[in-house]
Amino acid sequence: MRARAFNSLFFFFTFILVSQSISSFHPLDPLTASEIKTIQHTIKSSHLGSTKNLTFQYVGLNDPDKRTLLSWLSNQSKTPLPRRAFIIARLENQTHEIIIDIKGNFIVSDRIYNGYGYPTPTSAEREEASSLPFTYPSFIESVTKRGLDMTQVVCHAYSVGWFGEEREGKRMAKISCNYRGGTDNFFMRPLEGVTVTVDLDAMAILGYYDRIRVPMPKAEGTDYRASKQKPPFAKRTNGMTVVQPHGRSFTIDGHMIRWANWAFHLGFDARVGPIISLASTYDPNKDEYRSILYRGYISELFVPYMDLAEEWYYKTFFDCGEYGFRLSAVPLEPTTDCPSNAVFIDVYVADQSSNPVKMSNIFCVFERAAGNIMWRHTETGIPGKVVREVRADVSLVVRMVAAVGNYDYVVDWEFKQSGSIKVVVGLTGILEVKGVPYTHTNQIRENVYGTLLAENTTGVNHDHFLTYYLDMDIDGQDNSFIKAKMQTATSILSDDDYPQIRGAYSKYQLMVTPYNRSEKWASGVYTDQSHGDDTLAVWSQRNRDIQNRDIVLWYTVGFHHISSQEDFPVMPTLTGGFELRPSNFFDSNPELKVMPSKPVHWPNCTFRP
Amino acid sequence: MRARAFNSLFFFFTFILVSQSISSFHPLDPLTASEIKTIQHTIKSSHLGSTKNLTFQYVGLNDPDKRTLLSWLSNQSKTPLPRRAFIIARLENQTHEIIIDIKGNFIVSDRIYNGYGYPTPTSAEREEASSLPFTYPSFIESVTKRGLDMTQVVCHAYSVGWFGEEREGKRMAKISCNYRGGTDNFFMRPLEGVTVTVDLDAMAILGYYDRIRVPMPKAEGTDYRASKQKPPFAKRTNGMTVVQPHGRSFTIDGHMIRWANWAFHLGFDARVGPIISLASTYDPNKDEYRSILYRGYISELFVPYMDLAEEWYYKTFFDCGEYGFRLSAVPLEPTTDCPSNAVFIDVYVADQSSNPVKMSNIFCVFERAAGNIMWRHTETGIPGKVVREVRADVSLVVRMVAAVGNYDYVVDWEFKQSGSIKVVVGLTGILEVKGVPYTHTNQIRENVYGTLLAENTTGVNHDHFLTYYLDMDIDGQDNSFIKAKMQTATSILSDDDYPQIRGAYSKYQLMVTPYNRSEKWASGVYTDQSHGDDTLAVWSQRNRDIQNRDIVLWYTVGFHHISSQEDFPVMPTLTGGFELRPSNFFDSNPELKVMPSKPVHWPNCTFRP
């Protein structure tokens, strides 16, 4: 079917159906707790289950075939679609790709992957790896000789990247540590110069060095909590809040969200976080729903640091493929992370044994009235008459926050009544800083690859490249791309630099490929220690036809982050993004048909401070 | 003085003073109603007053000398500063530049300007010029032969530009007309092909042509008012509003506005609209106010259209210098133009006889909580402990709307607690459309310089270049400019095109000049019919020292507007802007010292719909 079959009749039918059932099932819904448990059971009771060291590295929905799904959606009375899961597991030091039929409780396929790269390590693996230094005599000596208290040391496992080595056959991580003495903002107190290399399969230390020794940056001034601040404070502002006395204007029906002219499905994936599917917009001129976006999500987040020191050169992180949003998504705090009118949504993920783990308040959804003007005109050109018509702008925001270690990414999808989808990411959290011997910039005689933020502390220069997967289905699947002027904010790394070979797909701000079900993740499936041989950069060179086809846009939002003192000890949010704006899609401005809301008056309130 | 003398003591002193007087006088305050009247009296009772046809083209504050003003502000007990006005008047077909001492009621200087270009026409001149066609037989014939009703024709005067002609000695305007029959959105019904040229001094028609005849576009579908819309409508949303039960957090003391860490002066000028002066921010680390911006405003707004037809080629407007914000600023509508928590401000301007005219609700000031996150971090890296700290973002917005004929510009200055000033402009209102014979794109065989929006209607390609004057005084006057990477969005016109000679200053996104009191307006003082010989492009070639000096940034926000069907019949707001963001200005993130506001609860309200 063409997605324009989502007409308003269908919409209302579904809506009525919902009020009778608690929640409608949708084939794109993420795995439920009981499905995750079923997967565990199916695999453990199979030939694979006899092995003790089986770990589930990725557990997610096996995407339904697109044509099958669209056809099924156009006629929901047919037999339910098969419900399948895609699992990446480690077993006897091998990577298995397993597809499971959930309803049938059977393994559809099991294949061993022999290419470059490894699956995302599990959180349990990271934790175990991070604990190894604490019983390692050389590490204890390094801590002791710095005069530090071992109980105040915290360590974390980082991906090691790939720098042209022949295949070594080992799945590794590097451990670097910080000191939480005197502050909970331990990222500001790096145990600089000390790095531990770990074999993640053997869970054993492979290498260790303690290369340099610099003063530990001060704890003073690093705690960001209100309770730890001393006067003088900023001039305080009074609280303000949003009220909707007539109620919210959106509905959440299972994973389908409907607001104003928009309808879309909100999913969650352990690797990429929020997935917007089947976004369609009601066209008041045509009186029907028209499809816009089949699927949209952040397919990868490449963060190369630009410091050549032994402890730093390897830090070229792929936050989706090497870490995953499953690990980094954090509960949102009402009234601060999301305004008082927000609704919060929980999700379930699988741990490394495929036990379901509930993650609370992972999404919030709220209507935003930011004080902007949707459209207006004052006409003073008619003698003896003034015409003034103004619409205040209201939009719907879906938000998730991923705290990938030190960094907090605020991931927003904003739906506007103009038919636009605005995709915004805010960068905040804590900088990854480096300990240096300097206390003042005038002491610096070498390239420190960054900015001195505080005594003995530099913010290392780095980039963020968020590559969005956007399978646009504008009025159906046959779409073409018309190039308009572009400005590219691309990598500073040279093309033959190994991290850049792995992240080459982020070189262009925009790429277009024909839809291919297997081309989901820009950095490839096995990003950890990948060699860049199976990424969007490679796929896009196949010279396939993209004219009047089912095409996918890959849009990269890039930030060159030269840090400044204002980033210390916590970063003011830095925002970037893009807008998918309709152009000659509607016959006329759809906002014209947005009737003003009923006025809201609050004549009679008491409040408590 | 250096603006850092605005310390917190001074701040509180002023605050207390205010509660005793109604409003504090500031040397940068715009002219008051009585001052405008005084100017009228002073000139009319002088040797200039004997002439009948004296018109005031510009009446504004004569900027105080910057050093004198800063020195005076550092010690307010001294003698008051002289208060002077700068007037541009037309008298016996000559342009006079007059400076008046307002308190002394005398003319300080009177000089005749003999260079290229003319002052901004007055609104009365425009109106009178626009009325001339209605008694002009050829025009009446043109209307009649099109079968149109003369009483439904509306005409407006446009600036004529300059296209390399030798000096013609005539101050002119071109009149083009529209048809309001069947709609109040007359801009969508152009009387295409008809142009009247008027001598503004003689107030007589100089030229007339009726060159082509195309069908009048339909009235149907052009009215943008809610009351004129027919179903189906967009899916309606419920109203929402902002409440501040503890009150607003800003004070307006005369023209000084103080909110959170910010203090600044808000002025109004007949030519450029809002002027932000003496913006300084409280630095909690240093416990003092530090100066940021001496003066900021839109110095010019260049809008060249890209159609070579006889009726269109001349449309290369300079909205500040040729039209002026005095004419275009419109009253803001509560709850739609500005949210319910906004405060509105009136201003006074002079008419062409220097009578004071009150303009109501020209500015609004409001606190914005858009649901964004100021900064946050969730720390999960400490065993057995989660630290989460989030601050919701709140900022202060100062807004004005200029409806320059068909276009509505939403001009925002947003002050953030990060120390940033975000400068945003939204473009909405009505497109200037051209009548064409085509009803469908497949009929078009020629270059129509635009997009077919509806039957017989094209939106003509055009640009908008808003050039901001930004006299930065970061911690005082001696500033330097450090170039970072820039992306330029510059004019498509070639350098030797006459409109581009006049607007050459908008070729670069950023220019830096040393402060010069006379270099206020990027397009020069006399923009109307100017030859481009006295603009920022010329001043910037003088190769003056800008290192460690009092420098001015000129930043151009450019839009290439290729219109689309969604722009019909009223445009969804298109937004652009820039942010002046502190970098190594504060010792650390000033937002760290922003304490959370007291929570707001609303347990006990009744409301009426």
Side-chain angles (χ1 to χ4, degrees):
Chain A
M1 72 171 278
R2 286 166 67 92
R4 64 168 65 194
F6 285 104
N7 59 30
S8 62
L9 244 172
F10 173 72
F11 171 74
F12 286 112
F13 174 73
T14 311
F15 186 75
I16 290 158
L17 196 71
V18 173
S19 60
Q20 292 170 341
S21 66
I22 285 168
S23 113
S24 306
F25 165 77
H26 193 287
L28 291 177
D29 285 353
L31 299 172
T32 64
S34 75
E35 287 177 330
I36 292 167
K37 203 73 194 165
T38 299
I39 291 161
Q40 180 191 56
H41 179 75
T42 305
I43 291 191
K44 294 222 165 146
S45 57
S46 78
H47 65 286
L48 299 166
S50 56
T51 317
K52 195 176 154 231
N53 63 349
L54 167 72
T55 53
F56 292 79
Q57 314 290 133
Y58 173 83
V59 176
L61 182 69
N62 193 48
D63 292 343
D65 175 74
K66 184 172 173 181
R67 279 174 193 279
T68 309
L69 174 66
L70 292 176
S71 160
W72 184 87
L73 284 170
S74 70
N75 183 359
Q76 286 203 338
S77 63
K78 285 186 207 164
T79 330
L81 283 176
R83 179 87 172 155
R84 290 182 170 175
F86 176 65
I87 290 112
I88 300 173
R90 286 287 287 179
L91 190 63
E92 309 291 2
N93 292 357
Q94 287 187 307
T95 299
H96 286 248
E97 294 180 346
I98 303 162
I99 293 174
I100 285 181
D101 186 292
I102 297 170
K103 286 179 190 156
N105 296 312
F106 62 88
I107 291 174
V108 177
S109 65
D110 170 24
R111 174 178 99 82
I112 291 170
Y113 172 76
N114 281 314
Y116 293 118
Y118 296 100
T120 314
T122 68
S123 52
E125 285 172 341
R126 283 186 194 283
E127 274 171 35
E128 196 177 347
S130 303
S131 71
L132 295 177
F134 291 88
T135 52
Y136 193 69
S138 306
F139 180 78
I140 296 167
E141 190 190 326
S142 291
V143 172
T144 309
K145 80 177 179 195
R146 282 171 172 79
L148 301 173
D149 174 2
M150 198 66 186
T151 66
Q152 299 298 304
V153 174
V154 287
C155 294
H156 296 97
Y158 295 85
S159 52
V160 300
W162 175 69
F163 297 88
E165 306 89 339
E166 290 299 302
R167 189 166 190 178
E168 69 304 296
K170 280 199 167 60
R171 192 162 68 97
M172 297 184 293
K174 293 208 187 215
I175 314 296
S176 80
C177 304
N178 293 74
Y179 198 63
R180 56 172 289 222
T183 182
D184 278 347
N185 189 355
F186 60 79
F187 282 114
M188 288 296 142
R189 308 199 80 189
L191 190 68
E192 199 63 45
V194 176
T195 304
V196 184
T197 308
V198 169
D199 180 329
L200 282 174
D201 287 316
M203 211 41 92
I205 289 176
L206 283 176
Y208 177 78
Y209 60 75
D210 180 351
R211 206 182 59 87
I212 51 161
R213 198 168 149 187
V214 292
M216 174 62 71
K218 283 187 211 162
E220 191 195 337
T222 62
D223 203 309
Y224 41 83
R225 285 172 292 180
S227 58
K228 301 288 184 183
Q229 305 310 312
K230 293 186 189 121
F233 297 119
K235 310 292 176 196
R236 203 161 180 181
T237 59
N238 293 331
M240 55 197 291
T241 191
V242 167
V243 289
Q244 297 185 283
H246 305 286
R248 282 188 288 271
S249 315
F250 60 92
T251 60
I252 303 180
D253 164 22
H255 290 262
M256 282 302 295
I257 298 177
R258 292 178 180 86
W259 172 81
N261 286 349
W262 284 100
F264 60 90
H265 182 278
L266 172 63
F268 181 85
D269 175 72
R271 177 163 170 150
V272 302
I275 299 181
I276 304 295
S277 301
L278 295 166
S280 64
T281 189
Y282 172 74
D283 181 339
N285 295 322
K286 296 190 190 298
D287 192 19
E288 65 179 26
Y289 273 77
R290 300 172 64 190
S291 74
I292 304 285
L293 178 71
Y294 179 68
R295 284 209 122 175
Y297 54 85
I298 297 170
S299 89
E300 191 50 276
L301 207 176
F302 177 34
V303 188
Y305 282 77
M306 308 296 184
D307 189 317
L308 298 178
E310 186 65 26
E311 302 80 18
W312 280 84
Y313 79 92
Y314 76 88
K315 296 192 172 186
T316 55
F317 305 129
F318 291 80
D319 285 347
C320 292
E322 295 177 350
Y323 294 86
F325 277 89
R326 178 176 60 98
L327 291 187
S328 55
V330 295
L332 297 169
E333 185 173 88
T335 79
T336 52
D337 274 322
C338 311
S340 57
N341 60 330
V343 169
F344 294 83
I345 298 175
D346 306 333
V347 299
Y348 282 88
V349 293
D351 71 8
Q352 73 167 19
S353 305
S354 198
N355 290 309
V357 178
K358 184 178 181 176
M359 297 173 75
S360 297
N361 288 15
I362 288 305
F363 293 127
C364 72
V365 183
F366 62 93
E367 288 170 272
R368 164 184 284 168
N372 293 321
I373 296 171
M374 181 191 279
W375 60 264
R376 80 172 319 286
H377 185 55
T378 301
E379 188 50 69
T380 55
I382 304 171
K385 185 174 182 177
V386 173
V387 176
R388 180 176 63 190
E389 192 85 7
V390 192
R391 294 288 176 284
D393 194 44
V394 181
S395 59
L396 187 79
V397 178
V398 175
R399 174 169 295 165
M400 202 200 84
V401 170
V404 189
N406 51 313
Y407 252 97
D408 294 47
Y409 296 94
V410 182
V411 177
D412 282 0
W413 289 80
E414 183 174 3
F415 296 85
K416 295 171 77 78
Q417 294 183 81
S418 62
S420 282
I421 304 176
K422 203 169 162 187
V423 184
V424 176
V425 62
L427 276 56
T428 175
I430 313 295
L431 275 182
E432 191 154 337
V433 303
K434 182 181 179 179
V436 291
Y438 312 110
T439 54
H440 193 278
T441 46
N442 63 16
Q443 298 158 352
I444 302 173
R445 297 278 178 276
E446 55 168 348
N447 185 349
V448 292
Y449 311 105
T451 307
L452 192 71
L453 304 180
E455 290 184 7
N456 306 119
T457 310
T458 52
V460 177
N461 297 340
H462 60 281
D463 291 342
H464 302 261
F465 297 107
L466 292 102
T467 301
Y468 284 83
Y469 176 98
L470 300 162
D471 182 358
M472 308 303 297
D473 278 8
I474 311 291
D475 276 338
Q477 288 159 261
D478 293 344
N479 290 174
S480 299
F481 175 68
I482 298 162
K483 191 171 173 255
K485 285 196 180 183
M486 284 299 152
Q487 295 164 327
T488 60
T490 55
S491 179
I492 297 163
L493 295 171
S494 70
D495 286 355
D496 59 355
D497 210 344
Y498 288 106
Q500 185 60 13
I501 290 170
R502 301 173 69 218
Y505 65 85
S506 63
K507 185 180 167 85
Y508 301 100
Q509 196 177 7
L510 188 86
M511 293 222 219
V512 181
T513 59
Y515 172 78
N516 181 322
R517 185 152 162 263
S518 70
E519 295 173 4
K520 288 171 66 166
W521 298 317
S523 62
V525 179
Y526 300 99
T527 310
D528 192 35
Q529 295 173 240
S530 69
H531 292 201
D533 55 323
D534 184 28
T535 72
L536 170 59
V538 174
W539 312 331
S540 68
Q541 280 168 5
R542 288 183 196 146
N543 213 16
R544 293 167 289 181
D545 197 357
I546 55 170
Q547 190 74 19
N548 225 18
R549 295 292 168 100
D550 186 3
I551 54 174
V552 174
L553 305 188
W554 305 79
Y555 188 89
T556 294
V557 177
F559 298 86
H560 297 308
H561 196 164
I562 309 295
S563 54
S564 70
Q565 288 168 186
E566 286 82 357
D567 290 332
F568 179 88
V570 64
M571 293 180 280
T573 303
L574 184 66
T575 301
F578 58 95
E579 187 168 335
L580 299 164
R581 194 176 165 105
S583 179
N584 301 316
F585 173 76
F586 294 108
D587 287 344
S588 60
N589 182 353
E591 296 173 343
L592 199 68
K593 295 295 195 91
V594 176
M595 293 296 104
S597 304
K598 287 187 207 167
V600 174
H601 298 281
W602 285 84
N604 214 357
C605 294
T606 57
F607 66 91
R608 56 187 169 85
Chain B
M1 75 171 276
R2 285 165 66 93
R4 62 168 66 196
F6 285 103
N7 58 29
S8 61
L9 243 172
F10 174 71
F11 171 75
F12 285 113
F13 174 72
T14 310
F15 187 76
I16 292 160
L17 197 71
V18 173
S19 60
Q20 293 170 341
S21 66
I22 285 169
S23 111
S24 306
F25 165 78
H26 193 287
L28 292 177
D29 285 355
L31 298 172
T32 64
S34 75
E35 286 176 330
I36 291 168
K37 204 73 194 164
T38 299
I39 290 161
Q40 181 192 54
H41 179 76
T42 304
I43 291 189
K44 294 222 164 145
S45 59
S46 78
H47 65 287
L48 300 166
S50 55
T51 318
K52 195 177 152 229
N53 63 349
L54 167 73
T55 53
F56 292 79
Q57 315 289 134
Y58 173 83
V59 176
L61 182 70
N62 193 49
D63 293 342
D65 176 76
K66 184 172 173 181
R67 279 176 193 278
T68 309
L69 174 66
L70 292 176
S71 158
W72 184 87
L73 285 168
S74 70
N75 184 358
Q76 286 202 338
S77 63
K78 284 186 206 162
T79 327
L81 283 176
R83 178 86 171 154
R84 291 181 170 177
F86 176 65
I87 290 113
I88 300 174
R90 286 286 287 179
L91 190 63
E92 309 290 3
N93 293 356
Q94 287 187 307
T95 299
H96 287 247
E97 294 180 346
I98 304 162
I99 293 174
I100 285 182
D101 186 294
I102 298 170
K103 286 180 192 158
N105 297 311
F106 64 87
I107 292 174
V108 177
S109 64
D110 170 25
R111 174 177 99 83
I112 292 171
Y113 172 75
N114 282 312
Y116 293 118
Y118 296 101
T120 314
T122 69
S123 52
E125 285 172 341
R126 283 185 194 283
E127 274 170 37
E128 196 176 347
S130 303
S131 72
L132 296 177
F134 290 88
T135 52
Y136 193 69
S138 307
F139 181 78
I140 295 167
E141 190 190 326
S142 291
V143 171
T144 310
K145 79 176 180 197
R146 283 171 171 81
L148 301 174
D149 174 0
M150 197 67 185
T151 66
Q152 300 297 304
V153 174
V154 287
C155 294
H156 295 97
Y158 296 85
S159 53
V160 299
W162 174 71
F163 297 89
E165 306 91 339
E166 290 298 302
R167 190 166 190 179
E168 70 303 295
K170 280 199 168 58
R171 192 162 67 99
M172 297 184 293
K174 293 207 188 220
I175 313 296
S176 79
C177 304
N178 293 74
Y179 198 62
R180 57 172 288 221
T183 181
D184 279 346
N185 190 355
F186 60 78
F187 282 114
M188 287 296 142
R189 308 198 80 190
L191 190 68
E192 199 62 46
V194 177
T195 305
V196 184
T197 308
V198 169
D199 179 328
L200 282 174
D201 286 318
M203 211 43 91
I205 289 177
L206 283 177
Y208 177 78
Y209 59 77
D210 180 353
R211 206 181 59 89
I212 52 161
R213 199 168 147 185
V214 293
M216 175 61 72
K218 284 187 211 160
E220 191 196 337
T222 62
D223 202 309
Y224 42 82
R225 284 171 292 180
S227 58
K228 302 287 183 184
Q229 306 309 313
K230 294 187 187 115
F233 298 118
K235 311 291 178 198
R236 203 161 179 179
T237 58
N238 294 331
M240 53 196 293
T241 192
V242 167
V243 288
Q244 298 185 280
H246 305 286
R248 284 189 288 272
S249 316
F250 60 91
T251 59
I252 302 180
D253 165 21
H255 290 262
M256 282 301 297
I257 297 178
R258 292 180 178 84
W259 172 81
N261 286 349
W262 284 100
F264 60 90
H265 181 278
L266 172 63
F268 180 85
D269 176 72
R271 177 164 171 149
V272 302
I275 300 181
I276 304 295
S277 302
L278 295 167
S280 64
T281 189
Y282 172 74
D283 182 339
N285 294 324
K286 296 190 190 297
D287 193 17
E288 65 179 25
Y289 274 78
R290 299 171 64 188
S291 74
I292 304 287
L293 177 70
Y294 179 68
R295 281 207 125 177
Y297 55 84
I298 297 170
S299 88
E300 191 49 276
L301 206 176
F302 178 34
V303 188
Y305 283 77
M306 309 295 184
D307 190 317
L308 297 179
E310 185 65 24
E311 302 79 20
W312 279 85
Y313 79 92
Y314 75 87
K315 296 192 173 187
T316 53
F317 305 129
F318 291 79
D319 285 349
C320 292
E322 295 177 349
Y323 295 85
F325 278 88
R326 176 175 60 98
L327 291 187
S328 55
V330 294
L332 298 168
E333 185 173 87
T335 78
T336 52
D337 274 323
C338 311
S340 56
N341 60 329
V343 169
F344 295 83
I345 299 176
D346 306 333
V347 300
Y348 283 89
V349 293
D351 71 8
Q352 74 168 19
S353 305
S354 199
N355 289 308
V357 177
K358 184 177 180 176
M359 298 173 75
S360 297
N361 287 16
I362 288 304
F363 293 129
C364 73
V365 183
F366 62 92
E367 288 171 90
R368 164 184 283 167
N372 294 321
I373 297 171
M374 182 191 280
W375 60 265
R376 80 174 317 287
H377 185 56
T378 301
E379 187 51 70
T380 56
I382 304 171
K385 184 174 183 177
V386 173
V387 176
R388 179 175 65 189
E389 192 86 5
V390 191
R391 294 288 177 283
D393 194 43
V394 181
S395 58
L396 187 80
V397 178
V398 175
R399 174 169 295 166
M400 202 200 83
V401 170
V404 189
N406 51 311
Y407 254 95
D408 294 47
Y409 296 94
V410 183
V411 177
D412 283 358
W413 289 81
E414 183 174 4
F415 296 85
K416 296 171 75 78
Q417 294 182 80
S418 62
S420 281
I421 304 175
K422 203 170 161 186
V423 183
V424 176
V425 63
L427 276 55
T428 176
I430 314 296
L431 273 183
E432 191 154 337
V433 302
K434 182 181 180 180
V436 291
Y438 312 111
T439 53
H440 193 277
T441 48
N442 63 15
Q443 300 159 350
I444 301 174
R445 298 279 179 275
E446 55 169 346
N447 185 350
V448 292
Y449 311 106
T451 307
L452 191 72
L453 303 180
E455 290 183 6
N456 306 119
T457 310
T458 52
V460 177
N461 297 339
H462 60 281
D463 290 341
H464 302 260
F465 297 106
L466 293 102
T467 301
Y468 283 83
Y469 176 98
L470 300 163
D471 181 358
M472 309 302 298
D473 279 7
I474 311 290
D475 276 337
Q477 289 160 258
D478 294 343
N479 290 175
S480 300
F481 175 69
I482 298 162
K483 191 169 174 258
K485 284 196 181 186
M486 282 300 149
Q487 296 164 329
T488 60
T490 57
S491 179
I492 296 162
L493 296 171
S494 70
D495 285 354
D496 59 356
D497 210 343
Y498 289 105
Q500 185 61 15
I501 290 170
R502 302 173 69 217
Y505 66 84
S506 63
K507 186 181 167 86
Y508 301 100
Q509 197 176 6
L510 188 87
M511 294 222 218
V512 181
T513 59
Y515 172 78
N516 179 321
R517 186 153 162 263
S518 70
E519 296 172 3
K520 287 172 69 167
W521 298 317
S523 61
V525 179
Y526 300 100
T527 310
D528 192 34
Q529 296 172 241
S530 69
H531 292 201
D533 55 323
D534 185 29
T535 72
L536 170 59
V538 175
W539 312 331
S540 69
Q541 281 167 7
R542 290 187 194 142
N543 213 17
R544 293 167 289 180
D545 197 357
I546 55 169
Q547 190 73 21
N548 224 19
R549 294 292 167 103
D550 187 2
I551 55 174
V552 174
L553 305 189
W554 305 79
Y555 188 89
T556 295
V557 177
F559 298 86
H560 297 307
H561 196 164
I562 309 297
S563 54
S564 72
Q565 290 169 185
E566 287 80 359
D567 290 332
F568 180 87
V570 64
M571 294 180 279
T573 304
L574 183 65
T575 301
F578 58 95
E579 188 169 336
L580 298 163
R581 196 176 164 104
S583 179
N584 300 318
F585 173 76
F586 294 109
D587 287 344
S588 60
N589 183 353
E591 296 173 343
L592 198 69
K593 295 295 195 88
V594 176
M595 293 297 104
S597 303
K598 286 187 208 166
V600 174
H601 298 281
W602 284 83
N604 214 357
C605 294
T606 57
F607 67 91
R608 56 187 168 86

